[in-house]
Amino acid sequence: MASLPALAAPAQAVKRVALVIGNNDYKNVPKLQKAVNDARTMGDTLKQLGFSVMVAENQTRQAFSQTLLAFDAAVDPGDTAFFFYAGHGFEIAGQNFLLPTDVPAASEGQEELVRDASVLADRIIERLQNKKVRTAILVFDACRNNPFERSGTRAVAGGGGLAPMTQLPEGVFSVFSAGPRQTALDRLSNNDDNPNSVFTRTFAKELLQPGENLVQVAQHTRRLVSEMAETVSHKQIPVYFDQMVDDVFLNGIAKAEPAAAKPAEPPQKVAALPPVSVPRTAPSNDSVNAPIAMFSRHNGGWTVVFSIPDPTLGISWRIGNSGEFRETGFLDTLDPRTRKRMPNPSIELAADAPAATIELRYVDTSGELQGPFPIKFDPEAALIHDQRKILDMTATSWLSFREFNGLLVYYTHLMSYRCAIREARVGIDTAVPDKVLKMPPCDPRDPSEIPRDALPYLKLAPSTQFVSVELTYRDGSVSEIKSFRR
């Protein structure tokens, strides 16, 4: 394992730290050809983006643990942490495991053997949370065939690909090189002499595109990889899961911003993370370090969760620019940064709350009052955004099959989040969705309620094998086509 000297430097207020791992030389499961090259390429790319990079190759279980400990020691609160893994990955009961090179061969009924010998991907997220990084980016080029399959034997239960990470904590962005039940291509043909996998060669180039945020990088990578895979009649559509609180740019700020608004630093230092402290005497909507809010709709109304970059001793708010500020109160837990009770970061609004500006103030650790900061609340836009994010995170639940006086396919889940959908189309035993699903109009007063006269299912022929589905969202964007088998 090699690391940059910068990792040994004194901790800075905000820095970028990356760990990239590539495993080729497996002892008991099939070896891989390009994982180490993929890690090296990603390491070089991230260095160009201002990261201090640790590169680890062919990690045994013990070496993997030691490498993660070194990664833990390298990151500090407020940092951007980037984790990249290329190698075998395996899903067991909805959990993703990264396989070290000494993972033992396993057969049917030996799932625990794989669990104990591997690294749980969710645990890496937990460790970064414990280090209080502001932004955690995890990339897995590990969706290959079941490495435990052997001719003449029954393989350990699980999948060759990885399970979707649909319940990510705030501040985490993850990318998978292929979707559920898909395999990732190392090469396009026997004549493809590129040293990197199809995903990594594309993703690394997109990361270096100036002025693209992480979502744009992931979207462009998904489109390009999918198009390349289609040239060899293979389906590989990378997926991403976004729980970011910031609009993260790794190589410069948004292209649309005027040059005068850019800091005078080199592009790779115009970063994903804001400075720890900036003057707040005149806060504004575009202040890079101002608090932000996440709105979620439920049966009782709205929950608004504020994200404040600095430790706080108290939070208060009001609607509009007049009237008294109300305290949010405190949680029954201590903030380890202040050793005091943690202020409640959330408030509730009525279901029929109109569009308004929420003004937010907070008391910093020195006892000074910061703000007020204006936060716009647009209930229609917030509802669409909230439901769209839920649909993206729960894509495996869009359709479900039932046997009841014949074969039925239910789309109750789509109907529950229909406010974000302009049109839903399905295809019966075809990968081309050609039928429009009927759904009732969105009711902003109770958006998830399904009217009694609505029919949330289709009757299918008993011989039906699969149903494809494609969503057109309210903003005009279109989902990837997903297939659901009986």
Side-chain angles (χ1 to χ4, degrees):
M1 182 178 67
S3 61
L4 291 182
L7 287 177
Q12 300 176 3
V14 172
K15 64 182 187 296
R16 296 175 170 192
V17 184
L19 169 61
V20 298
I21 295 177
N23 285 345
N24 277 348
D25 296 335
Y26 285 91
K27 299 177 176 60
N28 305 305
V29 298
K31 295 181 184 292
L32 297 175
Q33 300 297 320
K34 297 187 177 183
V36 168
N37 283 340
D38 290 342
R40 293 174 180 175
T41 295
M42 283 300 301
D44 291 341
T45 299
L46 292 171
K47 289 176 186 177
Q48 294 180 58
L49 295 172
F51 281 84
S52 296
V53 181
M54 307 169 68
V55 180
E57 301 174 1
N58 296 319
Q59 299 282 280
T60 63
R61 182 63 180 87
Q62 181 177 354
F64 212 134
S65 295
Q66 293 172 338
T67 298
L68 289 175
L69 284 173
F71 191 38
D72 286 346
V75 297
D76 293 303
D79 284 352
T80 294
F82 195 115
F83 176 83
F84 174 86
Y85 173 79
H88 280 307
F90 197 69
E91 174 265 323
I92 300 177
Q95 290 186 308
N96 295 322
F97 294 87
L98 311 181
L99 306 189
T101 56
D102 58 352
V103 66
S107 56
E108 184 182 19
Q110 295 183 318
E111 290 84 4
E112 291 300 327
L113 188 64
V114 178
R115 283 192 178 101
D116 293 343
S118 304
V119 176
L120 179 63
D122 286 342
R123 179 60 185 142
I124 297 172
I125 296 176
E126 291 175 6
R127 294 168 75 139
L128 294 175
Q129 275 192 291
N130 292 338
K131 296 295 291 187
K132 301 188 185 306
V133 300
R134 181 168 177 83
T135 300
I137 306 163
L138 297 97
V139 182
F140 303 97
D141 192 358
C143 305
R144 294 170 168 85
N145 290 322
N146 187 336
F148 300 105
E149 288 182 341
R150 294 288 187 279
S151 176
T153 66
R154 297 189 66 179
V156 61
L162 298 179
M165 284 184 166
T166 58
Q167 300 297 323
L168 292 176
E170 183 180 285
V172 179
F173 189 92
S174 68
V175 185
F176 292 78
S177 60
R181 300 185 298 277
Q182 296 176 2
T183 55
L185 294 172
D186 268 353
R187 56 185 178 176
L188 293 172
S189 69
N190 291 334
N191 297 323
D192 183 356
D193 58 359
N194 192 297
N196 296 121
S197 72
V198 174
F199 169 81
T200 296
R201 71 180 74 167
T202 307
F203 183 67
K205 289 181 179 178
E206 284 301 315
L207 280 174
L208 294 175
Q209 294 298 320
E212 288 189 2
N213 62 30
L214 272 181
V215 172
Q216 292 170 321
V217 169
Q219 290 175 338
H220 295 165
T221 299
R222 179 172 62 184
R223 177 177 57 80
L224 292 171
V225 169
S226 175
E227 290 174 353
M228 293 167 67
E230 285 180 359
T231 64
V232 293
S233 301
H234 182 81
K235 187 171 184 178
Q236 179 183 346
I237 305 174
V239 296
Y240 68 92
F241 303 93
D242 176 15
Q243 278 294 90
M244 305 298 296
V245 297
D246 299 318
D247 200 10
V248 177
F249 297 87
L250 293 183
N251 189 19
I253 57 179
K255 296 176 182 178
E257 294 192 18
K262 298 181 181 179
E265 297 175 287
Q268 66 269 24
K269 294 183 180 179
V270 180
L273 302 181
V276 168
S277 61
V278 295
R280 294 202 178 96
T281 54
S284 64
N285 282 322
D286 58 356
S287 174
V288 295
N289 208 32
I292 60 176
M294 180 175 66
F295 302 92
S296 59
R297 186 68 161 80
H298 49 81
N299 289 341
W302 291 94
T303 295
V304 186
V305 180
F306 301 113
S307 179
I308 301 174
D310 298 330
T312 63
L313 302 180
I315 302 172
S316 58
W317 65 284
R318 70 183 179 189
I319 298 292
N321 57 7
S322 63
E324 296 294 326
F325 280 86
R326 287 174 279 180
E327 301 290 332
T328 61
F330 294 87
L331 304 177
D332 290 330
T333 185
L334 294 179
D335 187 335
R337 300 171 298 175
T338 63
R339 299 182 180 273
K340 299 181 183 295
R341 287 185 68 185
M342 182 176 291
N344 182 5
S346 67
I347 62 172
E348 301 291 327
L349 297 178
D352 58 353
T357 296
I358 302 172
E359 290 200 339
L360 183 73
R361 302 188 309 188
Y362 67 89
V363 179
D364 64 20
T365 52
S366 64
E368 295 185 5
L369 188 64
Q370 303 291 345
F373 296 90
I375 296 174
K376 291 183 178 179
F377 170 56
D378 180 339
E380 181 180 3
L383 175 61
I384 293 171
H385 181 270
D386 182 44
Q387 292 202 351
R388 165 72 184 270
K389 180 164 285 191
I390 292 173
L391 287 168
D392 286 343
M393 292 192 299
T394 58
T396 57
S397 302
W398 287 358
L399 301 182
S400 60
F401 292 91
R402 296 287 187 274
E403 301 276 354
F404 183 77
N405 294 330
L407 180 62
L408 306 176
V409 61
Y410 277 83
Y411 55 98
T412 313
H413 191 76
L414 295 180
M415 197 172 284
S416 296
Y417 300 103
R418 62 189 181 276
C419 290
I421 301 172
R422 177 181 297 173
E423 183 180 72
R425 303 175 70 90
V426 296
I428 312 302
D429 280 338
T430 174
V432 181
D434 53 4
K435 293 180 174 59
V436 177
L437 292 177
K438 294 182 179 179
M439 288 194 283
C442 170
D443 182 1
R445 296 170 299 176
D446 197 351
S448 297
E449 182 188 23
I450 298 177
R452 295 191 176 199
D453 58 350
L455 197 66
Y457 62 85
L458 295 175
K459 293 183 178 180
L460 304 178
S463 60
T464 302
Q465 296 299 310
F466 75 95
V467 176
S468 60
V469 59
E470 179 183 65
L471 303 182
T472 300
Y473 294 107
R474 289 278 295 275
D475 62 3
S477 62
V478 180
S479 73
E480 63 179 88
I481 296 175
K482 301 184 182 298
S483 295
F484 295 81
R485 296 191 173 273
R486 294 178 56 182

